[in-house]
Amino acid sequence: QVHLLASGGGSVQPGGSLRIQCTASGWNVSDYCMAWFRQTPGKERESVADIGRYDSTFYANSVKGRFTISRDSAANTLYLQMNSLEPEDTGLYSCARGDGGAWHGTFYRPCQYYDWGQGTQVTVSS
């Protein structure tokens, strides 16, 4: 069983900021590809941001410049700092663990996610 506990969600006004986090146990967040996903009613779960084995980061176009993904190996915690929040950012945010994100000779295997923790709800409204 993969142990991931998300927290920090809540209700904020547009333009506000929020930091959510995901704490792991039994393994370390710095040893895997890690990502944040979000899901809204009627839509498929989408990748918001991820951080790879070489600490490379990826952000969805909708959040680029506003969100920052990071991790702290000592605290064994993954973070997502969310600034300038918009109503469209509303959703259930979940952290995920994956593998890959490394070169094998000339072949690059991208991060692939297959383990998800329980999410934390983020609601942006006036």
Side-chain angles (χ1 to χ4, degrees), residues 1-122:
Q1 183 179 355
V2 177
H3 298 276
L4 284 168
L5 181 61
S7 62
S11 297
V12 297
Q13 295 181 343
S17 297
L18 196 66
R19 188 183 75 167
I20 57 176
Q21 61 187 58
C22 194
T23 301
S25 59
W27 51 278
N28 197 277
V29 298
S30 294
D31 295 331
Y32 296 85
C33 298
M34 298 296 299
W36 286 98
F37 289 76
R38 71 183 176 194
Q39 187 171 16
T40 57
K43 294 184 177 181
E44 297 289 336
R45 180 166 52 192
E46 64 175 343
S47 175
V48 175
D50 67 5
I51 182 166
R53 293 194 179 278
Y54 305 109
D55 288 334
S56 59
T57 56
F58 168 83
Y59 298 93
N61 288 335
S62 60
V63 307
K64 191 172 298 183
R66 300 186 297 115
F67 289 13
T68 302
I69 187 172
S70 63
R71 57 190 170 190
D72 185 334
S73 60
N76 203 13
T77 300
L78 178 74
Y79 302 94
L80 184 67
Q81 177 66 47
M82 301 179 288
N83 298 326
S84 302
L85 283 162
E86 304 169 352
E88 292 76 16
D89 295 318
T90 295
L92 181 67
Y93 285 71
S94 301
C95 55
R97 184 181 78 175
D99 209 344
W103 286 93
H104 299 267
T106 59
F107 175 76
Y108 180 76
R109 180 186 175 191
C111 293
Q112 294 181 325
Y113 296 94
Y114 45 84
D115 295 310
W116 285 266
Q118 296 297 311
T120 184
Q121 179 68 35
V122 173

